[in-house]
Amino acid sequence: MHNLDAAGHVRGESQYLDDIPVQRGTLHAAVYASPLAHGKLNGLRLEAALAAPGVVRILTAADIPGENQIGGIVPDEPLLAEGHVHFRGQPVALVLAETEPQARAAAKLIEADIEPLPVITDPRVAHAQGELIVPPRTFRLGAPAAAWAQCAHIIEGTAESGGQEHLYIETQGAYAYPTEQGGVRVHSSTQGPTAAQRHGARVLGIGMHRIEVDVVRLGGGFGGKEDQATPWAVLAALGAYLLRKPVKLVLPRHDDLRMTGKRHPYSSDYKLGLSADLKLLAYEVTFYQNAGAAADLSPAVLERTLFHSTNTYFIPNVQATAYSCRTNLPPNTAFRGFGGPQGMFVIESAIAKAAEKLGVSASEIQRRNLLQEGDTFPFGQPAELCNAHACWQRAEQAFDLGSWQQEVDAFNQSSTLHKRGLAIMPICFGISFTKTAMNQARALVHIYTDGSVGISTGAVEMGQGVNTKMVEVAARTLGIRSNRIRIETTNTTRVANTSPSAASATADLNGKAVQLACEQLRKRLLALAADELCIAEEGLEICDERVLTAGHPVESDWEKLVAAAYWKRINLSEHAHYATPDVWFDQKTESGYPFAYHVYGTAAVQATVDVLRGTYVLDAVRLVHDFGQSMAPGIDRGQVEGGLVQGLGWMTMEELLYDEQGRLLSNTLSTYKVPDLYSVPADVQIEFLETEGHPRAILRSKAVGEPPLMYGIGGYFAVRNAIRAARPDVAPAFSAPITPEKVLMALCAPRPEAAPSTVPTAA
Ligand code: LUZ
Ligand code: MOS
């Protein structure tokens, strides 16, 4: 089925937050944010702003009727700064004015009296000073301390990965208006409508039942709107609640860039032990996560780093420790992969370093250590229906990896100005929220008397095609055509207590709920048909709108059946609840069965480096991906392409930079490079692994949102391998992104053997 949103997007008809018609009397809001990264907030000078044209009111922490708190996992984040500021860009005041330009101009007139305090931007410095968001976590398997003695080779090192800006096309925003009896309705560009509702209620000091959050769709989220859409929704709600007027708040791009958190940068130490025949025997790793100034989702991100610290390999002895370090940067947050990619970059770096030291190819080590059916992850869950080998073998076969490597070697033999690198990147990603309780969803399905169907779920459409998938599930379950089905907005009054649309799990969780609801409705309608037709229910099936008995169409079609059901007073609505079975996790022992299943894949990435300039081209990515039985191959392929390119961007060109005072330097698209049409590999081939899929995946169609991002890690190693083809004597530090500047510096590294001849000798 094609993406239902495609035509609307192309014609410009799809409705985003900024397209909602604005009511008369709407006030426009602008945020005044802290100009310093850390300090004591002694006071605010608001007079000039208050006197500016069009300004109606300026809200500060003192105006909050409820609790000034929007922290989720840890209550450590005020909505508006009070007493102290902890990062540049932290919201301090909200200007409400008649027009948007007036609000923004007035916000510039506000001044804060801030006594500067020391600024920390480095997670290792924060760790050394005891600035931790939560206590550290350690996952263990086997007996790593004892295992080192058995290792023929031990390598140690560090790896750094940078942050990443979400750069959703639609910036953060919300539009709130008062409803009767002191309620507020909020339109928000959020992945988590319930989070906005819950924190709105907390800040306003009212019940959640008085706040309705509605989401049509998002112009991208990528995790950036899982938690961090909340402040803007709550600020708009606060204005609407206090002034009893509609309030619209949309962040200008520059504000969005400097005020919101990003992917967590990580700095990590690793130690890897191998046997003589290249089996990974022991792995010790310590992660220092740069959490920013408040917890946000950092503890959950940290946990997922541990879950993916061994990627798709079996290592019998593991000790992985992770620290969430508090710094004076905007609180970092969910970003596609959610800490998993950071963990996987470290083990891939360790393998690359081992390969270098032992004079073998990294792919040799990778291949020999892939997970096998029944192998245990370092958190106790066994690998089941494991496709690690199947993906690798299919890739070897489909892309003839052996010959490909020979071609690259031959090219490098004959070319001096350009060098090529090939890297293999196998992935494994766990599907489920790691917080077990979040793995639940509900769906509300109405069949109207004309046979049309309206469905509400907790799923938020953000370009990933989840609405199309929900239609597919309902159409298949009810046995009707998809054009009879409409997916309604995501609304907290129709479907309550939703988990955010995140963790790649949205289609699974909400789709299973839709399936359950539709199965109930179908059962009822078939019972009616059986009654009417005096035949056994078991022989009946609704199929493509005809009610079949033993394969033969009977009189009653869908519309007639629905109308008959109504007149017989049969319930044509259903509200179903789904909770993923079997998943659990025990934080005391750091073990359990946290994931419904895993998604596997293997990518091969080729890069060509210009040896004189340090620039490079990512030539080709060919990959085999474990989609299960894809219910929407077009959408799923698009998700893999998008994830891949986003991962390549993170690993190669997107360099997020803050100065020592916590000021974002890469604050425009001229200083922060994201992949564009010209940097996408010209040759991208995506093979669908043939499998049965997984029963815990909706219609056996596996989750596809996050896993492909990690193919991008292959881009890093492809470029690095190309550097090493030019300079086998250089071992560039494992520091992502591998920008052209870093490539050039590696290529120009001094040659030790050349040094003496350039030293002038005394005659
Ligand atoms: N969000 C979350 C996520 O709250 N828990 C998760 O496990 C997760 N995983 C990926 C992306 N978002
Ligand atoms: Mo996400 S990183 O699944 O919001």
Side-chain angles (χ1 to χ4, degrees), residues 226 304 338 432-434 438 502-503 706:
E226 179 175 339
R304 197 175 268 280
F338 205 75
S432 284
F433 286 96
T434 57
M438 291 171 78
E706 295 171 285

Side-chain angles (χ1 to χ4, degrees), residues 250-488:
V250 174
L251 291 193
R253 178 65 69 185
H254 278 101
D255 281 357
D256 191 305
L257 290 172
R258 72 193 177 92
M259 292 178 188
T260 66
K262 306 169 198 313
R263 182 187 295 286
H264 296 76
Y266 273 64
S267 180
S268 312
D269 298 324
Y270 60 81
K271 182 174 170 189
L272 183 65
L274 299 89
S275 68
D277 62 349
L278 303 181
K279 283 282 188 187
L280 303 180
L281 291 183
Y283 184 49
E284 219 175 82
V285 59
T286 307
F287 300 105
Y288 299 91
Q289 177 199 55
N290 191 335
D296 191 274
L297 291 164
S298 297
V301 171
L302 190 81
E303 188 178 48
R304 197 175 268 280
T305 302
L306 293 171
F307 282 121
H308 294 89
S309 57
T310 53
N311 188 10
T312 188
Y313 310 110
F314 175 64
I315 311 179
N317 302 287
V318 177
Q319 177 165 310
T321 299
Y323 297 95
S324 183
C325 309
R326 189 185 291 108
T327 60
N328 297 109
L329 300 180
N332 286 315
T333 191
F335 195 137
R336 206 171 190 173
F338 205 75
Q342 290 95 319
M344 286 160 64
F345 177 68
V346 181
I347 182 77
E348 293 301 330
S349 297
I351 289 174
K353 182 148 180 180
E356 247 158 61
K357 186 175 160 189
L358 303 179
V360 299
S361 80
S363 63
E364 198 50 40
I365 301 177
Q366 291 171 316
R367 187 179 57 80
R368 288 193 197 196
N369 291 282
L370 291 174
L371 283 164
Q372 315 247 24
E373 186 73 14
D375 280 346
T376 308
F377 288 101
F379 44 92
Q381 181 164 355
E384 295 166 332
L385 299 178
C386 174
N387 287 326
H389 280 275
C391 287
W392 184 286
Q393 281 160 9
R394 180 81 194 105
E396 260 184 348
Q397 212 180 32
F399 311 131
D400 198 354
L401 298 181
S403 314
W404 191 354
Q405 183 63 57
Q406 283 169 9
E407 281 165 34
V408 166
D409 294 342
F411 175 89
N412 288 339
Q413 285 287 319
S414 63
S415 168
T416 43
L417 291 183
H418 292 89
K419 294 287 183 186
R420 285 198 175 140
L422 181 65
I424 316 295
M425 183 64 202
I427 61 148
C428 167
F429 197 78
I431 304 303
S432 284
F433 286 96
T434 57
K435 175 68 81 193
T436 300
M438 291 171 78
N439 296 293
Q440 54 168 311
R442 281 152 294 279
L444 176 65
V445 180
H446 297 312
I447 303 175
Y448 297 100
T449 53
D450 65 354
S452 62
V453 176
I455 299 179
S456 300
T457 73
V460 170
E461 175 61 56
M462 49 189 135
Q464 86 280 46
V466 73
N467 284 356
T468 305
K469 289 189 173 181
M470 295 304 98
V471 167
E472 180 73 20
V473 171
R476 281 204 210 173
T477 311
L478 292 172
I480 61 175
R481 294 193 184 96
S482 59
N483 60 7
R484 286 196 192 273
I485 303 166
R486 175 184 159 88
I487 305 299
E488 304 292 350

Side-chain angles (χ1 to χ4, degrees), residues 471-547:
V471 167
E472 180 73 20
V473 171
R476 281 204 210 173
T477 311
L478 292 172
I480 61 175
R481 294 193 184 96
S482 59
N483 60 7
R484 286 196 192 273
I485 303 166
R486 175 184 159 88
I487 305 299
E488 304 292 350
T489 62
T490 315
N491 186 297
T492 54
T493 67
R494 268 181 272 117
V495 176
N497 308 324
T498 58
S499 291
S501 286
S504 307
T506 311
D508 275 356
L509 296 173
N510 293 278
K512 292 263 187 182
V514 168
Q515 192 178 36
L516 287 174
C518 291
E519 273 167 7
Q520 286 305 315
L521 291 163
R522 183 167 163 277
K523 251 189 229 160
R524 261 180 234 149
L525 289 171
L526 287 177
L528 172 69
D531 268 2
E532 298 278 288
L533 301 165
C534 299
I535 47 174
E537 251 175 76
E538 303 87 72
L540 282 176
E541 208 181 317
I542 301 174
C543 180
D544 200 15
E545 313 206 343
R546 308 294 295 185
V547 177

